[in-house]
Structure formats: C-alpha cells, structure tokens
Amino acid sequence: MFEDKNSEKTNISDLGEFGLIEHLTQKIKLHHKSTVLGVGDDAAVISGDASVLTVVTTDMLVEGVHFDLGYMPLKHLGYKAVMVNLSDVFAMNAKANQITVSIAVSNRFPVEAIDELYAGIKTACEFYKVDLIGGDTTTSPTGLIISITALGTVDPKEVVYRSGAKDTDLLVVSGDLGAAYLGLQVLEREKQVFQVNPNAQPDLEPYSYLVERQLKPEARKDIVQLLKDLEVQPTSMIDISDGLSSEIIHLCKSSKVGCQLFEDKIPLDPQVISTCEEFNMDSTTIALSGGEDYELLFTVKVEDYPKIKGNPNLTVIGHMTQEQEGIHLITRAQTKIPIVARGWNSFE
Ligand code: ADP
Ligand code: MG
C-alpha cells in the first residue's frame, strides 16, 4: 500500500497552468439543470430558484496538517476532500448540487499524481451526483493544499440549523463512532513499521473497517433521505467532524440547551471495541474525541421517537435538558461527568 504506482511521470511544467486545468477538467459530466455553465469561463453560472434556499460551505485540507500522503493515496484524498464538504451540506438537511475545487501544488507532484487526486474527486461527483463547475489552480512551494466549496439547495421549511434544539428533544446519531480515528492510529503504526522495515507487509485485515472509515469516508446523504422518508424533521443538526463531544457542545451552545448523553448508548463497531482493547484505549473517549466520523448528530421531537425507534442507521444516545443543567455524560456506572471539548484543534 505504500508503493509508488506512478512509473510514467509528467512534470506539471510540461503542461503549464492552463494545460493542467484543461487536462483536469476535460470530459466533466454535469448532472443538474441548475448548472447553466461549468468550467471554462471567468465564472460558473447557476440558475436560482426563488422557492429554495442555497447553502454554501468551504473546507480546506493542507498536507501535513489534515493528511499525510505516506498512507493516504491521492485518489482517496480527492474523494475524502469532497465528502468533508458534502457532509456539511447534508448537515443543513440540504441536497448537494455543485462543487468548486481549488488546488495549490508544488512541482514535486507529477501530473499523474494530480490525475489520481482528480480521479477521486470525479468518482465522488459521479456517485453523489454533484457537478464540478470550477476552481483555481496555483503553485505551492512545498506541499499540497485542496480547498473545496460545495453548493446545495434546501426547501426553506426543511432547512436545519444548529440552533433549533429544544430542551425536551432527543439526541440522535447516525452510524457508529470512533472508527476513523482508530483507522488513523492503525495507519500511523504501520507507517512507522514500514519506515523501520520497508519489506514488512502490513496485515490490515483485522482493521479493515477502521482503515476504510479513515481513508474512504462517506457523507450521509442517505440519512437526509431516510429522515424525509420517515417524515422526521430534525430540530437541529451538525456533522461529526471533530468528535462527538465538541459537536454536542456546539449544538447545545447554539440552541441554548443542556444535554445528557448515555455512555451505554454510544454506537460502536465491534472492530472499534476490539482495537481499543488491543491499543489499551477507552472506546468512549475515542468516540467522544476521535473525530472524522462524518456522521450526522441531530435532535428530534420526543413524539418522533416511534418513527426512528429500532432503525439500524439511527441511535438515540441521549436527550436535551434545560441549559442550566449543563452538558453531561451519564456513565455505565451511573455517574454524571461534564462533557468538555477535546476534539481536534488545528492550532494546538
Ligand atoms: P481565471 O484566470 O479567470 O481565474 P482560470 O484560468 O484560473 O481562470 O480557470 C479557467 C477555468 O477553469 C475556470 O472556469 C475555472 O473555474 C476552472 N478551473 C481552474 N482551476 C480548476 C481546478 N483545479 N479544478 C476545476 N476547475 C478549475
Ligand atoms: Mg483562476
């Protein structure tokens, strides 16, 4: 997995900036009739519909800060960079329609490497039916930087903010938590083994789910659809990029409510449990602080409980309270511990 597949290499300077843009953006398929004009002019053109709201979100990924190409294949990086943005669109209960992609690349990368990155970006666009409508291309002295902007639309009656939770609502999460962080730990460990002994073949099979969650996350478009199908309108929602604890705090602060989270309700994959035992880590801490799970955390009215009860994609993990009651974890031993944000902080 650490081998270099690019035997034929083309210098970016052989194509030049315009040549590279043309090369990367040829044969782009467009899916949305709202995309009037994509790549090729000074700006893309999107037709607006007065009856819907437009949502816009941007995320920037910097080599050495957000990813390490030592174990992150460029194709996966491209795919993940799109997911990070679509996840934010879905967290508004919106549909994702278009993206723009801006890259800063050093000449250390051959054109084939950027092709790999774009292969991942285009696969994500195809799979999630979003149109790549533009971007910017520039040079960087050393590393790779990718900034993606996503545009989406949502019915004004269906848009969901972080601020809408009521003190009687239930707290719900999609999927399971902690796997992406553990996947990173596994990959870091294998990278170190590889540096000491380049012939070592890592056995990642026992960690397949964890590694997949780290390298190939999916944004939960299906959950937005599921909630529509169940006729559940979340009262507040956020995506879990920084770990459950900091996202709960964001929801509570924005909505001016408190929360009780039950430790025994936190959904964990069996691989998370076994790997936590192996690494001597506490699975609750990992779920609370790990991050990069790209699941949706949301609140629903108590009356909606029968509609979501027993759904394998959704877990009720707690309930909101009045603001002055604070934000607490109720442990398996029934002790009450304040939740503090220990999520990922780029400035640490
Ligand atoms: P300008 O000089 O007006 O900024 P550019 O030469 O940078 O134009 O870009 C030309 C076209 O290619 C524009 O439509 C732009 O959106 C698109 N584009 C540039 N870089 C990228 C990229 N990395 N990915 C996708 N589209 C791009
Ligand atoms: Mg430009």
Side-chain angles (χ1 to χ4, degrees), residues 56-324:
V56 187
T57 177
T58 301
D59 259 291
M60 178 143 60
L61 299 180
V62 178
E63 184 177 1
V65 179
H66 302 101
F67 59 89
D68 180 337
L69 292 174
Y71 47 72
M72 186 75 171
L74 280 156
K75 199 171 176 173
H76 288 73
L77 178 63
Y79 193 90
K80 182 168 175 175
V82 178
M83 289 312 117
V84 170
N85 280 275
L86 298 191
S87 181
D88 283 323
V89 172
F90 300 145
M92 304 303 290
N93 209 27
K95 285 205 250 330
N97 303 328
Q98 290 95 3
I99 59 165
T100 64
V101 177
S102 298
I103 52 171
V105 239
S106 79
N107 53 18
R108 143 183 159 234
F109 293 91
V111 172
E112 286 75 12
I114 310 305
D115 280 342
E116 281 291 299
L117 179 75
Y118 267 72
I121 292 172
K122 288 173 181 174
T123 301
C125 286
E126 194 54 42
F127 196 59
Y128 283 82
K129 296 282 175 275
V130 297
D131 295 344
L132 172 56
I133 59 164
D136 199 22
T137 307
T138 188
T139 54
S140 132
T142 51
L144 173 66
I145 299 172
I146 311 161
S147 173
I148 296 187
T149 295
L151 292 138
T153 47
V154 58
D155 188 308
K157 291 193 292 293
E158 291 177 354
V159 66
V160 180
Y161 300 108
R162 295 179 180 186
S163 56
K166 295 281 178 289
D167 56 15
T168 50
D169 289 344
L170 298 175
L171 183 67
V172 187
V173 71
S174 66
D176 52 65
L177 300 174
Y181 176 83
L182 286 178
L184 183 64
Q185 302 310 304
V186 168
L187 289 166
E188 291 274 6
R189 186 177 70 170
E190 294 309 326
K191 186 183 163 191
Q192 277 164 22
V193 171
F194 182 79
Q195 278 165 350
V196 175
N197 175 11
N199 295 318
Q201 283 297 319
D203 178 17
L204 295 179
E205 183 52 34
Y207 315 107
S208 54
Y209 179 67
L210 312 179
V211 170
E212 186 178 330
R213 292 282 283 177
Q214 172 59 224
L215 295 184
K216 199 175 173 293
E218 299 290 350
R220 302 305 306 257
K221 181 184 183 177
D222 58 326
I223 297 296
V224 173
Q225 187 58 49
L226 173 68
L227 291 172
K228 268 193 191 46
D229 294 344
L230 295 172
E231 295 177 13
V232 173
Q233 167 75 13
T235 53
S236 69
M237 186 147 63
I238 190 168
D239 80 318
I240 306 183
S241 45
D242 296 338
L244 182 61
S245 61
S246 47
E247 312 302 3
I248 288 181
I249 292 169
H250 285 314
L251 272 193
C252 287
K253 293 257 152 80
S254 296
S255 296
K256 298 191 170 55
V257 293
C259 178
Q260 288 204 343
L261 168 70
F262 296 94
E263 182 180 23
D264 61 352
K265 303 287 187 218
I266 298 173
L268 302 171
D269 185 85
Q271 275 190 16
V272 167
I273 296 166
S274 59
T275 307
C276 276
E277 275 168 21
E278 183 191 339
F279 286 20
N280 208 6
M281 289 172 166
D282 175 47
S283 57
T284 302
T285 308
I286 301 301
L288 284 172
S289 316
E292 294 204 288
D293 290 313
Y294 300 107
E295 294 296 340
L296 294 174
L297 176 73
F298 56 95
T299 52
V300 301
K301 293 193 187 97
V302 179
E303 329 50 302
D304 283 334
Y305 179 64
K307 299 183 195 165
I308 59 170
K309 186 184 162 196
N311 191 299
N313 294 293
L314 306 174
T315 310
V316 177
I317 54 173
H319 61 81
M320 310 324 270
T321 62
Q322 289 188 352
E323 188 177 20
Q324 62 271 23

